[in-house]
Coordinates of all heavy atoms in Angstrom, one line a residue:
M1 N 4.1 13.6 5.2 CA 3.4 12.4 4.8 C 4.5 11.5 4.1 O 5.3 12.0 3.4 CB 2.3 12.8 3.8 CG 1.7 11.6 3.2 SD 0.4 11.8 1.9 CE 0.0 13.5 1.8
S2 N 4.3 10.2 4.3 CA 5.3 9.3 3.6 C 4.5 8.3 2.8 O 3.5 7.7 3.3 CB 6.1 8.6 4.7 OG 6.9 7.6 4.1
L3 N 4.8 8.2 1.5 CA 4.1 7.2 0.7 C 5.2 6.3 0.1 O 6.3 6.6 0.0 CB 3.4 7.9 -0.5 CG 2.3 8.9 -0.1 CD1 1.9 9.7 -1.3 CD2 1.1 8.2 0.5
E4 N 4.7 5.1 -0.3 CA 5.7 4.1 -0.9 C 5.1 3.7 -2.3 O 3.9 3.9 -2.6 CB 5.8 2.9 0.0 CG 6.5 3.2 1.3 CD 6.7 1.9 2.1 OE1 6.4 0.8 1.6 OE2 7.2 2.1 3.2
G5 N 6.0 3.3 -3.1 CA 5.6 2.9 -4.5 C 6.8 2.1 -5.1 O 7.8 1.8 -4.5
T6 N 6.6 1.9 -6.4 CA 7.5 1.2 -7.2 C 7.8 1.9 -8.5 O 6.8 2.5 -9.1 CB 7.0 -0.2 -7.6 OG1 6.7 -0.9 -6.3 CG2 8.0 -1.1 -8.3
V7 N 9.0 2.0 -9.0 CA 9.3 2.6 -10.3 C 8.9 1.6 -11.4 O 9.4 0.5 -11.4 CB 10.8 3.0 -10.4 CG1 11.1 3.6 -11.8 CG2 11.1 4.0 -9.3
V8 N 8.0 2.0 -12.3 CA 7.6 1.2 -13.5 C 7.8 2.1 -14.7 O 7.2 3.1 -14.8 CB 6.2 0.8 -13.3 CG1 5.7 -0.1 -14.5 CG2 6.0 0.0 -12.0
N9 N 8.6 1.6 -15.6 CA 8.8 2.4 -16.9 C 9.2 3.8 -16.6 O 8.8 4.7 -17.3 CB 7.6 2.3 -17.8 CG 7.3 0.9 -18.3 OD1 8.2 0.1 -18.5 ND2 6.1 0.6 -18.5
G10 N 10.0 4.0 -15.6 CA 10.6 5.3 -15.3 C 9.7 6.2 -14.5 O 10.0 7.3 -14.1
L11 N 8.4 5.8 -14.1 CA 7.5 6.5 -13.3 C 7.3 5.9 -12.0 O 7.3 4.6 -11.9 CB 6.2 6.6 -14.0 CG 6.2 7.3 -15.4 CD1 4.8 7.2 -16.0 CD2 6.6 8.8 -15.3
I12 N 7.1 6.7 -10.9 CA 6.8 6.1 -9.6 C 5.3 5.8 -9.5 O 4.5 6.8 -9.6 CB 7.3 7.1 -8.5 CG1 8.8 7.3 -8.6 CG2 6.9 6.5 -7.1 CD1 9.3 8.4 -7.7
M13 N 5.0 4.6 -9.3 CA 3.6 4.2 -9.1 C 3.4 4.0 -7.6 O 4.0 3.1 -7.0 CB 3.3 2.8 -9.9 CG 3.6 2.9 -11.4 SD 2.8 4.2 -12.3 CE 1.1 3.6 -12.2
L14 N 2.6 4.8 -7.0 CA 2.3 4.8 -5.6 C 1.5 3.6 -5.2 O 0.5 3.3 -5.9 CB 1.7 6.1 -5.1 CG 2.6 7.3 -5.3 CD1 1.8 8.6 -4.9 CD2 3.9 7.3 -4.6
D15 N 1.8 3.0 -4.1 CA 1.0 1.9 -3.6 C -0.4 2.3 -3.3 O -0.7 3.4 -2.9 CB 1.6 1.3 -2.3 CG 3.0 0.7 -2.5 OD1 3.4 0.4 -3.7 OD2 3.7 0.4 -1.5
G16 N -1.3 1.4 -3.5 CA -2.8 1.6 -3.3 C -3.4 2.6 -4.2 O -4.5 3.1 -4.0
G17 N -2.7 2.9 -5.3 CA -3.3 3.9 -6.3 C -3.4 5.3 -5.8 O -4.1 6.1 -6.4
A18 N -2.6 5.6 -4.8 CA -2.6 7.0 -4.2 C -2.1 7.9 -5.3 O -1.3 7.6 -6.2 CB -1.6 7.1 -3.0
Q19 N -2.7 9.1 -5.3 CA -2.3 10.2 -6.3 C -2.0 11.5 -5.6 O -2.6 11.8 -4.6 CB -3.5 10.4 -7.3 CG -3.7 9.2 -8.2 CD -4.8 9.4 -9.2 OE1 -5.5 10.5 -9.2 NE2 -4.9 8.5 -10.2
L20 N -1.1 12.2 -6.2 CA -0.7 13.5 -5.6 C -1.2 14.6 -6.6 O -1.3 14.4 -7.8 CB 0.8 13.6 -5.5 CG 1.4 12.6 -4.5 CD1 3.0 12.7 -4.6 CD2 1.0 12.8 -3.1
P21 N -1.5 15.8 -6.1 CA -1.9 16.8 -7.0 C -0.8 17.3 -7.9 O 0.4 17.2 -7.6 CB -2.3 18.0 -6.0 CG -1.6 17.7 -4.7 CD -1.4 16.2 -4.7
E22 N -1.2 17.7 -9.1 CA -0.2 18.1 -10.1 C 0.6 19.3 -9.5 O 0.1 20.2 -8.9 CB -1.0 18.6 -11.4 CG -0.1 18.9 -12.5 CD 0.5 17.6 -13.1 OE1 -0.1 16.5 -13.0 OE2 1.6 17.8 -13.7
G23 N 1.9 19.2 -9.7 CA 2.8 20.2 -9.2 C 3.3 20.0 -7.8 O 4.1 20.8 -7.3
A24 N 2.8 19.0 -7.1 CA 3.2 18.7 -5.7 C 4.7 18.4 -5.7 O 5.3 17.7 -6.6 CB 2.5 17.5 -5.2
R25 N 5.4 19.1 -4.8 CA 6.9 18.8 -4.6 C 7.1 17.6 -3.8 O 6.4 17.4 -2.8 CB 7.5 20.0 -3.9 CG 7.4 21.3 -4.7 CD 8.5 21.6 -5.7 NE 9.8 21.5 -5.1 CZ 10.8 21.0 -5.7 NH1 10.7 20.6 -6.9 NH2 12.0 20.9 -5.1
V26 N 8.0 16.7 -4.2 CA 8.2 15.5 -3.5 C 9.7 15.3 -3.3 O 10.6 15.9 -3.9 CB 7.6 14.2 -4.2 CG1 6.2 14.4 -4.4 CG2 8.3 14.1 -5.6
R27 N 10.1 14.4 -2.3 CA 11.5 14.0 -2.2 C 11.5 12.5 -2.2 O 10.6 11.8 -1.6 CB 12.0 14.4 -0.8 CG 13.4 13.9 -0.5 CD 13.9 14.2 0.9 NE 12.8 15.0 1.6 CZ 13.1 15.9 2.5 NH1 14.2 16.2 2.9 NH2 12.1 16.5 3.1
V28 N 12.4 11.9 -3.0 CA 12.4 10.4 -3.1 C 13.6 9.9 -2.4 O 14.8 10.3 -2.6 CB 12.5 10.1 -4.6 CG1 12.6 8.6 -4.8 CG2 11.3 10.6 -5.4
D29 N 13.4 8.9 -1.5 CA 14.4 8.2 -0.8 C 14.3 6.7 -1.1 O 13.2 6.2 -1.0 CB 14.3 8.4 0.7 CG 14.5 9.8 1.2 OD1 15.4 10.5 0.7 OD2 13.8 10.2 2.1
L30 N 15.3 6.1 -1.6 CA 15.3 4.7 -1.9 C 15.1 3.9 -0.6 O 15.8 4.1 0.3 CB 16.5 4.2 -2.6 CG 16.7 4.8 -4.0 CD1 18.0 4.3 -4.6 CD2 15.6 4.4 -4.9
A31 N 14.1 3.0 -0.6 CA 13.8 2.1 0.5 C 15.0 1.2 0.7 O 15.4 0.9 1.9 CB 12.6 1.3 0.3
D32 N 15.6 0.7 -0.3 CA 16.8 -0.2 -0.3 C 17.7 0.2 -1.4 O 17.5 0.0 -2.6 CB 16.3 -1.7 -0.4 CG 17.5 -2.6 -0.3 OD1 18.7 -2.2 -0.2 OD2 17.2 -3.9 -0.4
A33 N 18.8 0.8 -1.0 CA 19.8 1.4 -2.0 C 20.3 0.3 -3.0 O 20.7 0.6 -4.1 CB 20.9 2.1 -1.3
D34 N 20.3 -1.0 -2.5 CA 20.7 -2.0 -3.4 C 19.7 -2.5 -4.3 O 19.9 -3.4 -5.2 CB 21.3 -3.2 -2.5 CG 22.5 -2.9 -1.8 OD1 23.3 -2.0 -2.3 OD2 22.7 -3.4 -0.7
D35 N 18.4 -2.0 -4.2 CA 17.3 -2.5 -5.0 C 17.0 -1.5 -6.1 O 15.9 -0.9 -6.1 CB 16.1 -2.7 -4.0 CG 14.9 -3.4 -4.8 OD1 15.2 -4.0 -5.8 OD2 13.8 -3.2 -4.3
L36 N 17.9 -1.3 -7.0 CA 17.7 -0.3 -8.0 C 17.1 -0.9 -9.3 O 16.7 -0.2 -10.2 CB 19.1 0.3 -8.4 CG 19.7 1.2 -7.3 CD1 21.0 1.7 -7.7 CD2 18.7 2.3 -6.9
A37 N 17.1 -2.2 -9.4 CA 16.5 -2.8 -10.6 C 14.9 -2.9 -10.4 O 14.4 -3.1 -9.3 CB 17.0 -4.2 -10.8
P38 N 14.2 -2.7 -11.5 CA 12.7 -2.8 -11.4 C 12.4 -4.3 -11.1 O 13.1 -5.2 -11.4 CB 12.3 -2.5 -12.8 CG 13.4 -2.7 -13.7 CD 14.7 -2.5 -12.9
P39 N 11.2 -4.5 -10.5 CA 10.8 -5.8 -10.2 C 10.6 -6.6 -11.5 O 10.3 -6.1 -12.5 CB 9.4 -5.6 -9.5 CG 9.0 -4.3 -9.9 CD 10.2 -3.5 -10.2
P40 N 10.8 -7.9 -11.4 CA 10.7 -8.7 -12.7 C 9.3 -8.7 -13.3 O 9.2 -8.7 -14.5 CB 11.0 -10.2 -12.2 CG 11.0 -10.2 -10.7 CD 11.1 -8.7 -10.3
E41 N 8.3 -8.6 -12.5 CA 6.9 -8.5 -13.0 C 6.2 -7.4 -12.2 O 5.9 -7.6 -11.0 CB 6.2 -9.8 -12.8 CG 6.4 -10.9 -13.9 CD 5.9 -10.5 -15.2 OE1 4.9 -9.7 -15.3 OE2 6.4 -11.0 -16.2
P42 N 5.9 -6.3 -12.8 CA 5.3 -5.2 -12.0 C 3.9 -5.7 -11.5 O 3.4 -5.3 -10.4 CB 5.1 -4.1 -12.9 CG 6.0 -4.4 -14.1 CD 6.3 -5.8 -14.1
Y43 N 3.2 -6.5 -12.3 CA 1.9 -7.0 -11.9 C 1.7 -8.4 -12.3 O 1.9 -8.8 -13.5 CB 0.8 -6.1 -12.5 CG -0.6 -6.6 -12.2 CD1 -1.1 -6.3 -10.9 CD2 -1.3 -7.3 -13.1 CE1 -2.4 -6.7 -10.6 CE2 -2.6 -7.7 -12.7 CZ -3.1 -7.4 -11.5 OH -4.4 -7.9 -11.2
D44 N 1.4 -9.3 -11.4 CA 1.2 -10.7 -11.6 C -0.2 -11.1 -11.2 O -0.4 -11.2 -10.0 CB 2.3 -11.5 -10.9 CG 2.2 -13.0 -11.1 OD1 1.2 -13.4 -11.8 OD2 3.0 -13.8 -10.6
R45 N -1.1 -11.2 -12.1 CA -2.5 -11.4 -11.8 C -2.7 -12.6 -10.9 O -3.5 -12.6 -10.0 CB -3.3 -11.5 -13.1 CG -4.8 -11.7 -12.8 CD -5.6 -11.6 -14.1 NE -6.9 -12.1 -14.0 CZ -7.9 -11.4 -13.6 NH1 -7.7 -10.1 -13.2 NH2 -9.1 -11.9 -13.5
A46 N -2.0 -13.7 -11.3 CA -2.2 -15.0 -10.5 C -1.8 -14.8 -9.1 O -2.5 -15.3 -8.2 CB -1.4 -16.1 -11.2
T47 N -0.7 -14.1 -8.8 CA -0.2 -13.9 -7.5 C -1.2 -13.0 -6.7 O -1.6 -13.3 -5.6 CB 1.2 -13.2 -7.5 OG1 2.1 -14.1 -8.1 CG2 1.6 -12.9 -6.1
E48 N -1.7 -12.0 -7.4 CA -2.7 -11.1 -6.7 C -4.0 -11.8 -6.4 O -4.5 -11.6 -5.3 CB -3.0 -9.9 -7.6 CG -1.8 -9.0 -7.9 CD -1.3 -8.3 -6.7 OE1 -2.1 -7.9 -5.8 OE2 -0.1 -8.0 -6.6
L49 N -4.4 -12.7 -7.3 CA -5.6 -13.5 -7.0 C -5.4 -14.4 -5.9 O -6.3 -14.6 -5.0 CB -6.1 -14.2 -8.3 CG -6.7 -13.3 -9.3 CD1 -7.0 -14.2 -10.6 CD2 -8.0 -12.7 -8.9
A50 N -4.2 -15.0 -5.8 CA -3.9 -16.0 -4.7 C -3.9 -15.2 -3.4 O -4.4 -15.7 -2.4 CB -2.6 -16.6 -4.9
I51 N -3.4 -14.0 -3.3 CA -3.4 -13.2 -2.1 C -4.8 -12.9 -1.7 O -5.2 -13.0 -0.5 CB -2.5 -11.9 -2.3 CG1 -1.1 -12.3 -2.5 CG2 -2.8 -10.9 -1.2 CD1 -0.2 -11.1 -3.0
L52 N -5.6 -12.5 -2.6 CA -7.0 -12.2 -2.3 C -7.8 -13.4 -1.8 O -8.6 -13.3 -0.9 CB -7.7 -11.6 -3.6 CG -7.3 -10.2 -3.9 CD1 -7.9 -9.8 -5.3 CD2 -7.6 -9.2 -2.9
R53 N -7.6 -14.5 -2.4 CA -8.2 -15.8 -2.0 C -7.8 -16.1 -0.6 O -8.6 -16.5 0.2 CB -7.9 -16.9 -3.0 CG -8.7 -16.8 -4.3 CD -8.5 -18.0 -5.2 NE -9.2 -17.8 -6.4 CZ -8.6 -17.6 -7.6 NH1 -7.3 -17.5 -7.7 NH2 -9.3 -17.4 -8.7
E54 N -6.5 -16.0 -0.3 CA -6.0 -16.3 1.1 C -6.7 -15.3 2.1 O -7.1 -15.7 3.2 CB -4.5 -16.2 1.1 CG -3.9 -16.5 2.4 CD -2.4 -16.4 2.4 OE1 -1.8 -16.4 1.4 OE2 -1.9 -16.2 3.5
A55 N -6.8 -14.0 1.7 CA -7.4 -13.1 2.6 C -8.8 -13.4 2.8 O -9.3 -13.3 4.0 CB -7.2 -11.6 2.0
L56 N -9.5 -13.8 1.8 CA -11.0 -14.2 2.0 C -11.1 -15.4 2.9 O -12.0 -15.4 3.8 CB -11.6 -14.5 0.6 CG -13.0 -14.8 0.6 CD1 -13.9 -13.7 1.2 CD2 -13.5 -15.1 -0.8
E57 N -10.2 -16.3 2.8 CA -10.3 -17.5 3.7 C -10.0 -17.1 5.1 O -10.6 -17.6 6.0 CB -9.3 -18.6 3.2 CG -9.7 -19.3 1.9 CD -11.0 -19.9 2.0 OE1 -11.3 -20.6 3.1 OE2 -11.8 -19.8 1.1
D58 N -9.1 -16.1 5.3 CA -8.8 -15.6 6.6 C -10.1 -15.0 7.2 O -10.4 -15.2 8.4 CB -7.7 -14.6 6.6 CG -6.3 -15.2 6.5 OD1 -6.2 -16.4 6.7 OD2 -5.4 -14.5 6.1
V59 N -10.8 -14.2 6.4 CA -12.0 -13.6 6.9 C -13.0 -14.6 7.3 O -13.7 -14.5 8.3 CB -12.5 -12.6 5.9 CG1 -13.9 -12.1 6.3 CG2 -11.6 -11.4 5.7
K60 N -13.2 -15.6 6.4 CA -14.2 -16.6 6.7 C -13.9 -17.4 7.9 O -14.8 -17.9 8.6 CB -14.3 -17.6 5.5 CG -15.0 -17.0 4.3 CD -15.0 -18.0 3.1 CE -15.7 -17.5 1.9 NZ -15.6 -18.4 0.8
A61 N -12.6 -17.6 8.2 CA -12.1 -18.3 9.4 C -12.1 -17.4 10.7 O -11.7 -17.9 11.7 CB -10.8 -18.9 9.2
G62 N -12.5 -16.2 10.5 CA -12.5 -15.3 11.7 C -11.1 -14.7 12.1 O -11.0 -14.2 13.2
R63 N -10.2 -14.7 11.1 CA -8.9 -14.2 11.4 C -8.7 -12.8 10.8 O -7.8 -12.4 10.2 CB -7.8 -15.1 10.8 CG -7.7 -16.4 11.4 CD -6.5 -17.2 10.9 NE -6.7 -17.5 9.5 CZ -7.2 -18.6 8.9 NH1 -7.6 -19.6 9.7 NH2 -7.2 -18.8 7.6
G64 N -9.7 -11.9 11.1 CA -9.6 -10.5 10.7 C -9.9 -9.6 11.8 O -10.0 -10.0 13.0
Q65 N -10.1 -8.3 11.5 CA -10.5 -7.4 12.5 C -11.4 -6.4 11.8 O -11.3 -6.1 10.6 CB -9.3 -6.7 13.1 CG -8.7 -5.6 12.3 CD -7.4 -5.0 13.0 OE1 -6.3 -5.4 12.6 NE2 -7.6 -4.1 13.9
P66 N -12.3 -5.8 12.5 CA -13.2 -4.8 11.9 C -12.5 -3.6 11.3 O -11.4 -3.2 11.8 CB -14.1 -4.3 13.1 CG -14.0 -5.4 14.1 CD -12.6 -6.0 14.0
A67 N -12.9 -3.1 10.2 CA -12.3 -2.1 9.4 C -12.0 -0.9 10.3 O -11.0 -0.2 10.3 CB -13.1 -1.7 8.2
R68 N -13.0 -0.5 11.2 CA -12.9 0.7 12.0 C -11.7 0.5 13.0 O -10.9 1.4 13.2 CB -14.1 0.9 12.8 CG -14.1 2.2 13.7 CD -15.4 2.6 14.3 NE -16.5 2.7 13.3 CZ -16.7 3.8 12.5 NH1 -15.9 4.8 12.6 NH2 -17.7 3.9 11.7
D69 N -11.5 -0.7 13.5 CA -10.4 -0.9 14.4 C -9.0 -0.8 13.7 O -8.1 -0.2 14.2 CB -10.5 -2.3 15.1 CG -11.7 -2.4 16.0 OD1 -12.2 -1.3 16.4 OD2 -12.0 -3.5 16.4
F70 N -9.0 -1.4 12.5 CA -7.8 -1.3 11.7 C -7.5 0.1 11.3 O -6.3 0.6 11.4 CB -8.0 -2.1 10.4 CG -6.9 -1.9 9.4 CD1 -5.6 -2.5 9.6 CD2 -7.0 -1.0 8.3 CE1 -4.6 -2.3 8.7 CE2 -6.0 -0.8 7.4 CZ -4.8 -1.4 7.6
L71 N -8.5 0.9 10.9 CA -8.2 2.3 10.5 C -7.8 3.2 11.7 O -7.0 4.0 11.6 CB -9.5 2.9 9.9 CG -9.8 2.3 8.5 CD1 -11.2 2.8 8.0 CD2 -8.7 2.5 7.5
K72 N -8.3 2.9 12.9 CA -7.9 3.6 14.1 C -6.4 3.3 14.4 O -5.6 4.2 14.7 CB -8.7 3.2 15.3 CG -10.1 3.9 15.4 CD -10.8 3.5 16.6 CE -12.2 4.1 16.7 NZ -12.9 3.7 17.9
G73 N -6.0 2.0 14.2 CA -4.6 1.7 14.4 C -3.7 2.3 13.4 O -2.6 2.8 13.7
L74 N -4.2 2.3 12.1 CA -3.4 2.9 11.1 C -3.2 4.4 11.3 O -2.1 5.0 11.1 CB -4.1 2.7 9.7 CG -3.4 3.2 8.5 CD1 -2.0 2.5 8.3 CD2 -4.2 3.0 7.3
A75 N -4.3 5.1 11.7 CA -4.2 6.5 12.0 C -3.2 6.8 13.1 O -2.4 7.7 13.0 CB -5.6 7.1 12.4
A76 N -3.3 6.0 14.2 CA -2.3 6.2 15.3 C -0.9 5.9 14.8 O 0.0 6.7 15.1 CB -2.6 5.2 16.4
E77 N -0.7 4.9 14.0 CA 0.7 4.5 13.5 C 1.2 5.6 12.6 O 2.4 6.0 12.6 CB 0.6 3.2 12.7 CG 1.9 2.8 12.2 CD 1.8 1.5 11.4 OE1 1.0 0.6 11.8 OE2 2.5 1.3 10.4
C78 N 0.4 6.2 11.8 CA 0.8 7.3 10.8 C 0.6 8.7 11.4 O 0.8 9.6 10.6 CB 0.0 7.1 9.5 SG 0.4 5.5 8.7
R79 N 0.2 8.8 12.6 CA 0.0 10.1 13.3 C -1.0 10.9 12.5 O -0.8 12.1 12.2 CB 1.3 10.8 13.5 CG 2.2 10.1 14.3 CD 3.5 10.9 14.6 NE 4.5 10.1 15.3 CZ 5.7 10.0 15.0 NH1 6.2 10.7 14.0 NH2 6.5 9.3 15.8
L80 N -2.1 10.3 12.1 CA -3.2 11.0 11.3 C -4.3 11.3 12.3 O -4.6 10.6 13.2 CB -3.7 10.1 10.2 CG -2.7 9.8 9.1 CD1 -3.3 8.7 8.2 CD2 -2.2 11.0 8.4
P81 N -5.0 12.4 12.1 CA -6.1 12.7 13.0 C -7.3 11.7 12.7 O -7.5 11.2 11.6 CB -6.6 14.1 12.5 CG -6.1 14.2 11.1 CD -4.8 13.4 11.0
L82 N -8.0 11.4 13.8 CA -9.2 10.6 13.7 C -10.4 11.5 13.3 O -10.4 12.7 13.5 CB -9.5 9.9 15.1 CG -8.4 8.9 15.5 CD1 -8.7 8.5 16.9 CD2 -8.4 7.7 14.6
A83 N -11.4 10.8 12.8 CA -12.6 11.6 12.5 C -13.2 12.1 13.8 O -13.0 11.5 14.9 CB -13.6 10.6 11.8
P84 N -14.0 13.2 13.7 CA -14.6 13.7 15.0 C -15.4 12.7 15.7 O -16.1 11.9 15.1 CB -15.5 14.8 14.4 CG -14.9 15.2 13.1 CD -14.3 14.0 12.6
G85 N -15.2 12.6 17.0 CA -16.0 11.7 17.8 C -15.3 10.3 17.9 O -15.8 9.4 18.5
E86 N -14.2 10.1 17.3 CA -13.5 8.8 17.3 C -12.5 8.8 18.4 O -11.8 9.7 18.6 CB -12.8 8.5 16.0 CG -13.8 8.5 14.8 CD -14.4 7.1 14.7 OE1 -13.8 6.1 15.1 OE2 -15.5 7.0 14.1

């Protein structure tokens, strides 16, 4: 399994709020060896709200796809099993 995240205050914060069980062994590979500095702002509420507003406008304009189709593609891309009957 491959997860991504950002180091914040010395801890790795996994994207999407993913959590691992206590005691899980992990290996850390830097995505970009030149990117060792923490991001200037770990969380920028205004930016996050702008992204969500843009996504909502995309949905309203019909520029989206059904969640089931997205999840099937994600499962195929990540080589995850589909739910029974899928």
Side-chain angles (χ1 to χ4, degrees):
M1 173 184 351
S2 178
L3 299 171
E4 294 185 2
T6 304
V7 176
V8 179
N9 294 326
L11 300 174
I12 298 173
M13 305 302 291
L14 298 174
D15 293 347
Q19 295 184 348
L20 298 173
E22 191 67 29
R25 301 271 308 143
V26 299
R27 177 185 358 211
V28 176
D29 295 319
L30 293 177
D32 182 354
D34 293 331
D35 187 20
L36 294 177
E41 279 291 335
Y43 179 76
D44 181 356
R45 181 175 167 81
T47 300
E48 296 295 325
L49 287 174
I51 291 168
L52 290 172
R53 287 185 180 108
E54 182 179 340
L56 182 57
E57 290 302 316
D58 285 343
V59 169
K60 288 179 179 177
R63 294 184 298 263
Q65 76 183 101
R68 184 171 304 282
D69 294 345
F70 170 79
L71 293 173
K72 282 183 181 179
L74 181 62
E77 180 181 326
C78 296
R79 298 182 185 136
L80 299 172
L82 294 173
E86 297 277 335

